[in-house]
Amino acid sequence: MTPGGVSAGIKFFDPYPIFMKRAQGSRIWDVDGNEYVDYLMSYGALVLGHGAKTVCDTIDTVLGTLGTTVFGTPTEGEIAFGKTLLDMYHPGGSIRFTNSGLEATTLAVRLARAHSGKRRIAKFEGHYHGAVDRLLFSYSPEVAKAGEAGSPVPIADSADVDKSLLSDSVVLPFNDWEATERILTRDAEGLACVIMEPFEEGVIPCERHYMGSLRKLTRDLKIPLIFDEVKTGFRVRLGGATEFYSVLPDISCLGKIIGGGLPIGAVVGETDILAHLDPRGKQGTRVFHSGTFNGNPLSINSGKATVDALMVPGAFDLLRKRTESLMSGISAVLDGRDIPNQVLGEGGMFNFYLTSKPVRCYRDVKSSDLRLRRFLDLEQITNGVYLKPENRYCLSLAHSDDDLGVTKERFAQSVEDLLASAAS
Ligand SMILES: Cc1ncc(COP(=O)(O)O)c(C=O)c1O
């Protein structure tokens, strides 16, 4: 009935996806009644865990006091939450809410094009910005077809992507400054923006010298720099990658956590760029943006409740400490069995790669042992730890020390099970 049995391609995995029925805190139960410690956390959106009391209470209050789920008008809540987000991500700037991360990246790119008067978009190989034609290239290309490492070529990620868009697209190699500088300098004249995940896959860091050079060069060349912080916002630090690097992009995109488990997205950035959204602006420079559910009170208030809870002194540090504990537990198990590994992550999110080589970009991920990793993740699911195979671990404030202990034991068991089945 539904192709692949899923409502989004990413939810599929071999041999089949698992249907879930119920969740609470750090735990999730499937339709057969099996219980798992959950590290998917809805792809990172749930930083307080499933059904956090503050979020549920807020939703009840909104429903009980506002008398509606959506007004279709501006609300005071948007202003209050918008101020919080701006203070953290772009002080003195402007904000516009959307319904998803994909809508935020789409809007950010449109704004950059309107502002610069240029067409071409540069993105990084292996970086994801949502399923929109303009940005749906070179996210997961076949390496053999994607050109040399230092001069990757744009490859469409979906059969329908209009190939003519590819001539307006430039691909950059993450963490290779020499090549990036060459490409940007060569193409500067036509470039409307550079958009990036400051941590590839949410976990592979942009090296600091690279980030500094990229910010400087894009500023010198007057190319707006867009941080897509849909994964990293409120996860690598409270102030996202913007805080981690102390680098201010021209525009940032937020999503996931800022909805507290309900659909949301936001674009924050320089006021003169977002001014193109002002409906009173001159025709010709105005950017059209609309959405029936933009800024709806349920998403805004559950997002604000989530962010407020995360900003309580000590809360983020606890999330970070627990994440680091699980990271070192996982690498200790792999090291103990002489399985080469790289464990990468910051704040409340990490992943591990089965390779002895440092992982700095998409091609390094592709050359790690993804097959072994997939089997290991399937063993973990069998042993009661849920994550999308090969995907990152997202922790929440609901993950207790006990959960971490159980997870480490089950990880060790999964490694043993895998080695035993390989030997038999
Ligand atoms: C970095 C990044 N940008 C954009 C998106 C798209 O967000 P959404 O799924 O809310 O449309 C995602 C989704 O995972 C993402 O990770």
Side-chain angles (χ1 to χ4, degrees), residues 100-103 105 128-130 197 228 230-231 256 264 392:
S100 65
L102 142 70
E103 290 178 34
T105 56
Y128 180 63
H129 303 293
E197 286 198 75
D228 179 351
V230 170
K231 284 192 195 84
K256 295 197 191 279
I264 204 165
R392 64 198 182 280

Side-chain angles (χ1 to χ4, degrees), residues 53 96 100 206 236 238 279-280 357 370 404:
K53 186 170 178 334
R96 174 63 69 90
S100 65
C206 183
V236 300
L238 281 172
R280 298 164 300 183
K357 260 180 61 186
L370 292 173
L404 300 188

Side-chain angles (χ1 to χ4, degrees), residues 97-167:
F97 285 104
T98 65
N99 292 305
S100 65
L102 142 70
E103 290 178 34
T105 56
T106 306
L107 179 60
V109 163
R110 294 180 87 178
L111 281 167
R113 293 178 92 193
H115 191 68
S116 64
K118 298 175 183 170
R119 297 189 54 75
R120 302 187 81 197
I121 290 165
K123 78 174 279 285
F124 289 85
E125 192 171 68
H127 291 206
Y128 180 63
H129 303 293
V132 52
D133 284 27
R134 277 247 121 262
L135 296 169
L136 206 49
F137 62 93
S138 299
Y139 157 52
S140 54
E142 208 181 305
V143 171
K145 296 187 179 154
E148 294 296 312
S151 37
V153 294
I155 305 279
D157 288 307
S158 180
D160 63 299
V161 169
D162 184 348
K163 301 292 179 289
S164 67
L165 288 179
L166 295 184
S167 58

Side-chain angles (χ1 to χ4, degrees), residues 93-401:
S94 297
I95 182 163
R96 174 63 69 90
F97 285 104
T98 65
N99 292 305
S100 65
L102 142 70
E103 290 178 34
T105 56
T106 306
L107 179 60
V109 163
R110 294 180 87 178
L111 281 167
R113 293 178 92 193
H115 191 68
S116 64
K118 298 175 183 170
R119 297 189 54 75
R120 302 187 81 197
I121 290 165
K123 78 174 279 285
F124 289 85
E125 192 171 68
H127 291 206
Y128 180 63
H129 303 293
V132 52
D133 284 27
R134 277 247 121 262
L135 296 169
L136 206 49
F137 62 93
S138 299
Y139 157 52
S140 54
E142 208 181 305
V143 171
K145 296 187 179 154
E148 294 296 312
S151 37
V153 294
I155 305 279
D157 288 307
S158 180
D160 63 299
V161 169
D162 184 348
K163 301 292 179 289
S164 67
L165 288 179
L166 295 184
S167 58
D168 270 348
S169 306
V170 174
V171 196
L172 300 170
F174 195 55
N175 280 330
D176 177 348
W177 179 246
E178 212 182 291
T180 303
E181 184 178 36
R182 173 174 44 76
I183 297 168
L184 285 181
T185 310
R186 181 193 68 200
D187 292 341
E189 211 170 304
L191 278 177
C193 63
V194 172
I195 184 167
M196 74 187 306
E197 286 198 75
F199 284 69
E200 185 174 307
E201 298 189 348
V203 298
I204 304 168
C206 183
E207 288 160 10
R208 283 189 185 274
H209 71 90
Y210 182 103
M211 182 61 90
S213 305
L214 180 66
R215 178 62 287 196
K216 182 174 182 319
L217 186 65
T218 48
R219 193 166 274 140
D220 289 350
L221 296 173
K222 298 196 177 10
I223 305 169
L225 177 62
I226 303 173
F227 273 9
D228 179 351
E229 295 235 45
V230 170
K231 284 192 195 84
T232 51
F234 292 97
R235 270 230 176 254
V236 300
R237 290 290 181 271
L238 281 172
T242 304
E243 177 186 329
F244 182 85
Y245 290 107
S246 298
V247 158
L248 190 66
D250 300 283
I251 306 175
S252 299
C253 303
L254 296 167
K256 295 197 191 279
I257 285 178
I258 66 158
L262 292 178
I264 204 165
V267 173
V268 302
E270 291 295 310
T271 293
D272 61 335
I273 299 181
L274 269 81
H276 291 274
L277 290 169
D278 191 329
R280 298 164 300 183
K282 270 206 316 268
Q283 206 155 17
T285 60
R286 217 161 52 202
V287 167
F288 184 89
H289 174 243
S290 200
T292 303
F293 297 106
N294 291 0
N296 76 79
L298 283 174
S299 298
I300 291 283
N301 287 294
S302 70
K304 178 142 179 19
T306 299
V307 165
D308 287 348
L310 207 50
M311 285 167 72
V312 167
F316 194 84
D317 286 342
L318 185 62
L319 178 72
R320 198 171 156 186
K321 218 178 81 208
R322 291 198 169 140
T323 306
E324 282 166 6
S325 158
L326 189 52
M327 287 169 77
S328 47
I330 280 182
S331 84
V333 170
L334 293 169
D335 290 347
R337 286 309 232 138
D338 290 327
I339 301 173
N341 66 91
Q342 310 286 327
V343 184
L344 295 177
E346 272 296 331
M349 174 167 63
F350 74 96
N351 207 349
F352 68 90
Y353 301 92
L354 299 176
T355 171
S356 53
K357 260 180 61 186
V359 173
R360 300 170 61 235
C361 66
Y362 174 76
R363 295 184 189 216
D364 296 333
V365 174
K366 282 293 182 196
S367 67
S368 70
D369 196 337
L370 292 173
R371 189 165 172 272
L372 184 63
R373 171 64 197 273
R374 191 167 65 252
F375 285 134
L376 180 51
D377 288 348
L378 292 174
E379 287 294 347
Q380 290 204 79
I381 292 175
T382 306
N383 287 321
V385 172
Y386 188 74
L387 67 156
K388 163 81 191 292
E390 298 174 50
N391 215 285
R392 64 198 182 280
Y393 289 65
C394 292
L395 276 81
S396 77
L397 285 176
H399 286 89
S400 64
D401 287 334

